[in-house]
Amino acid sequence: MTAETVDTAVRPVYRPTAGSRFALWSRRQGWRHAVMLVVAAFALFPVLFVISAALNPVGTLSSSQLWPTGASLDNARDLFRNTPFRAWYTNSLFFAVANASATVLLSALAAYAFSRMRFKGRRVGLVGLLVIQMFPQFLAIVAIYLMFSNLGELYPAIGFDTRWGLLLVYLGGALSINTWLMKGFFDTVPKELDESAQMDGATHAQVFFRIMLPLVTPVLAIVALLVFINTINEFLLASVFLRDTGSQTLGLGLYQLVDSQRNANFGMFAVGAIMLSLPTLAVFWFLQRYISEGLTSGAVKG
């Protein structure tokens, strides 16, 4: 037996202690968990504060705390009894669902035409979509206001304080960017599928509804989700077109609660904010399986 063999046999095996393992973990991965905790606390703080304010029996901003000292549903009862909350909530859901549905259908039709057909003015139309989306919609709010003032006199059904008038405005602002997004997704679908269906006698409508739409379901879900969120949270255009209290959306009605008496009605405002977030959470939960695929697969080809 050599000296090296004896030395190796009697040398003690190093076993890291709990402190050294924790130090090694902290250097390699601990900072990631620390950043995650900071981000989670930053994101949850406003949510907890709004829930606390909604349960605050006093219902004022000055008395709201992160952890409520008492819990009561008085703010919810006051919101339902003293305001047209049901009308506001119904109007918000109508605009969000109708705008999302119409935008998905119209944008898909336009995207299919730009992706599969070659016609005069196609490139100019695509460039126009990009240019239009560079300008916020509220820049044209004066022109839109004057236009609908005249249209309201001729066609009262699409004038001010009407659902269909504001819905037309929403559709005009949502089609450009969503058409471009869908067009990029349509380009990823092989054209051989269209040609095979047309050789079998399928029309463009049959190809679109029976072949293309099932294949581009992820981008349809993404557009529906984004339009739903933007519409249900929209405030500026609604404040211009909806002047009657009963025709307003929930966001506009809640703003009026705290516009003049911010401190007194903050509890009801918090309850309304929580109620407004529930449809968004429901739609997000329903469409979540399409989100990752829809955001990463579309809009990568011109």
Side-chain angles (χ1 to χ4, degrees):
M1 182 179 295
T2 62
E4 294 181 357
T5 306
V6 174
D7 183 66
T8 304
V10 299
R11 183 181 301 169
V13 179
Y14 173 74
R15 298 183 183 277
T17 62
S20 61
R21 288 196 299 268
F22 178 77
L24 182 62
W25 176 85
S26 300
R27 288 195 302 268
R28 293 183 177 178
Q29 300 182 2
W31 64 273
R32 296 187 179 93
H33 291 75
V35 172
M36 181 189 66
L37 292 176
V38 171
V39 173
F42 182 79
L44 292 177
F45 173 78
V47 177
L48 295 177
F49 184 80
V50 170
I51 295 176
S52 175
L55 298 177
N56 181 18
V58 180
T60 61
L61 178 60
S62 58
S63 62
S64 299
Q65 301 176 356
L66 183 61
W67 301 107
T69 56
S72 173
L73 297 178
D74 292 340
N75 293 321
R77 284 190 287 266
D78 293 339
L79 181 64
F80 279 90
R81 292 175 181 175
N82 301 331
T83 64
F85 174 80
R86 293 178 180 84
W88 294 345
Y89 204 73
T90 302
N91 292 334
S92 295
L93 291 180
F94 169 80
F95 286 121
V97 173
N99 191 26
S101 303
T103 299
V104 168
L105 177 61
L106 296 179
S107 297
L109 290 171
Y112 176 76
F114 280 117
S115 176
R116 288 300 194 262
M117 302 177 184
R118 298 297 181 266
F119 51 89
K120 186 176 181 180
R122 173 180 175 272
R123 183 170 296 275
V124 176
L126 290 174
V127 175
L129 292 178
L130 290 178
V131 173
I132 291 174
Q133 72 184 17
M134 296 173 59
F135 299 94
Q137 192 176 15
F138 68 84
L139 292 179
I141 195 169
V142 176
I144 295 175
Y145 181 87
L146 296 176
M147 184 193 320
F148 275 85
S149 296
N150 297 327
L151 286 176
E153 296 178 357
L154 299 176
Y155 306 100
I158 58 174
F160 294 111
D161 293 323
T162 62
R163 293 180 174 180
W164 301 112
L166 184 57
L167 182 60
L168 289 177
V169 177
Y170 285 155
L171 288 174
L175 291 178
S176 59
I177 178 61
N178 293 313
T179 299
W180 183 266
L181 177 65
M182 289 190 180
K183 188 262 179 187
F185 206 99
F186 273 95
D187 288 343
T188 63
V189 179
K191 294 183 179 180
E192 288 77 9
L193 296 176
D194 305 25
E195 297 172 355
S196 299
Q198 291 174 0
M199 291 180 61
D200 293 336
T203 62
H204 284 294
Q206 291 173 332
V207 171
F208 176 76
F209 286 104
R210 296 185 179 182
I211 298 177
M212 296 298 294
L213 286 188
L215 295 176
V216 297
T217 302
V219 75
L220 300 181
I222 281 295
V223 170
L225 176 62
L226 296 178
V227 174
F228 185 92
I229 294 175
N230 292 333
T231 304
I232 205 169
N233 294 325
E234 202 280 325
F235 173 80
L236 182 61
L237 292 174
S239 64
V240 174
F241 279 82
L242 304 178
R243 299 167 295 185
D244 183 68
T245 304
S247 62
Q248 294 175 348
T249 60
L250 183 57
L252 185 56
L254 293 179
Y255 169 77
Q256 294 181 353
L257 288 179
V258 297
D259 184 26
S260 58
Q261 298 179 355
R262 181 172 304 175
N263 185 56
N265 298 327
F266 186 74
M268 291 191 295
F269 178 86
V271 174
I274 295 174
M275 295 293 295
L276 187 62
S277 66
L278 296 181
T280 302
L281 293 175
V283 173
F284 181 83
W285 177 81
F286 180 74
L287 300 176
Q288 63 178 340
R289 62 183 180 273
Y290 302 111
I291 291 176
S292 299
E293 183 179 355
L295 287 176
T296 57
S297 300
V300 295
K301 291 187 178 182

